[in-house]
Amino acid sequence: MALLEVENLSVNYGAIQAVRNLTLSVQEGEIVTLIGANGAGKTTTLRAVSRMVRPREGRILFAGRDITRATPDEVVRLGIAQSPEGRQVLARQSVQDNLELGAYTRRDAVEVRADMARMYERFPRLGERRNQLAGTLSGGEQQMLAIARALMSRPRLLLLDEPSLGLAPIIVREIFDIIGELNRSGTTILLVEQNARLAMQRSDRTYVLEAGQLTLEGDSARLVNDERVLHAYLGG
Ligand code: ATP
């Protein structure tokens, strides 16, 4: 059984068909990449899984459980967390407050404290800046905060929307190294990325979306050399 199964998903915004009849799955332990041009429906797919948008048709199963009509809170409690496009940290709150926000569904205050200490070990720059306002952090630090905030709910599945957006190449590598470490320590990851080559190099499988529809899927190592992917997404 896959950890996440999306079956025949369609999402509309008014007359716009953002996602059409999309079927994909993520196995426990995988990193799966979703690539596609601007407006292809990648963010909408993640937002359907985290239940921030309502599917028009289709089903979403998490660990075998139908979450198609779950609330966003329920989905977080079940083990799905999203790091949104553009990070969306609370700029006028401290690093610490942002992390606490990520744990809002939890009632185990002592364990939350312990997890926060672990985040500061894993992300030392956040530790050094724990009392600083999030808006004063660099772009890379804000991205780390967005990821750390998502991890505070102890997700089994982490949804990452454009983690490398707007970051310098050296920081992008750092973010991808962190993604790899998280995955090796047991977190399953569904990743949306503009940086298609790097995302494919660092993931197990890739799905390609065009105008809301799935056009290609397969092992990342194979697709990264596929003519169609090279031409459309890798500047080949
Ligand atoms: P990007 O890389 O630009 O974020 P994307 O692949 O993530 O692109 P989506 O953001 O999912 O694509 O958008 C899919 C389609 O839905 C686009 O045509 C977009 O304009 C439209 N869309 C997205 N969000 C909304 C919204 N809140 N209201 C209306 N239309 C929307």
Side-chain angles (χ1 to χ4, degrees):
M1 182 179 70
L3 182 59
L4 176 71
E5 289 179 78
V6 172
E7 298 175 353
N8 306 112
L9 177 72
S10 295
V11 182
N12 285 17
Y13 298 108
I16 298 169
Q17 288 190 293
V19 172
R20 306 178 200 196
N21 201 31
L22 174 73
T23 294
L24 63 78
S25 64
V26 180
Q27 306 293 324
E28 182 115 51
E30 280 190 309
I31 302 180
V32 171
T33 301
L34 212 49
I35 62 170
N38 284 339
K42 307 179 297 294
T43 295
T44 301
T45 301
L46 293 192
R47 288 171 62 81
V49 173
S50 56
R51 299 296 299 106
M52 305 300 285
V53 296
R54 181 190 294 270
R56 189 171 64 88
E57 274 172 45
R59 282 209 313 170
I60 302 169
L61 303 178
F62 180 67
R65 181 171 174 155
D66 191 332
I67 58 163
T68 318
R69 278 169 192 78
T71 65
D73 280 30
E74 284 166 351
V75 166
V76 173
R77 279 196 198 88
L78 287 170
I80 300 178
Q82 181 161 3
S83 168
E85 186 172 8
R87 346 223 194 270
Q88 297 179 26
V89 298
L90 296 180
R92 299 162 76 93
Q93 307 263 342
S94 68
V95 166
Q96 181 141 334
D97 290 345
N98 272 272
L99 289 183
E100 264 166 24
L101 189 74
Y104 79 105
T105 57
R106 294 174 58 181
R107 294 289 167 268
D108 48 342
V110 175
E111 275 298 298
V112 168
R113 288 274 146 208
D115 278 359
M116 208 172 285
R118 281 185 211 113
M119 287 310 154
Y120 293 146
E121 270 170 45
R122 196 191 277 275
F123 303 96
R125 287 216 291 280
L126 297 183
E128 290 158 18
R129 292 162 175 74
R130 66 185 75 181
N131 297 316
Q132 212 168 300
L133 297 185
T136 66
L137 302 179
S138 70
E141 290 161 357
Q142 288 190 20
Q143 183 58 59
M144 287 174 200
L145 179 56
I147 293 174
R149 180 181 59 185
L151 291 174
M152 285 301 294
S153 65
R154 291 194 168 176
R156 279 172 82 183
L157 175 66
L158 180 61
L159 309 174
L160 291 177
D161 198 348
E162 303 278 10
S164 79
L165 196 70
L167 302 181
I170 188 166
I171 311 294
V172 171
R173 301 261 158 199
E174 209 176 314
I175 297 285
F176 270 87
D177 288 347
I178 289 167
I179 293 169
E181 278 165 31
L182 292 174
N183 180 248
R184 283 189 293 280
S185 59
T187 310
T188 303
I189 292 169
L190 178 56
L191 172 69
V192 164
E193 256 298 326
Q194 292 287 335
N195 194 333
R197 186 182 301 277
L198 190 55
M200 292 174 84
Q201 284 166 347
R202 303 291 189 100
S203 64
D204 300 295
R205 289 187 304 114
T206 295
Y207 290 91
V208 182
L209 270 178
E210 275 175 38
Q213 285 181 302
L214 203 64
T215 53
L216 282 170
E217 62 178 283
D219 289 343
S220 300
R222 184 173 64 77
L223 276 191
V224 82
N225 293 310
D226 187 292
E227 281 293 317
R228 294 160 291 182
V229 175
L230 279 171
H231 279 287
Y233 304 104
L234 304 176

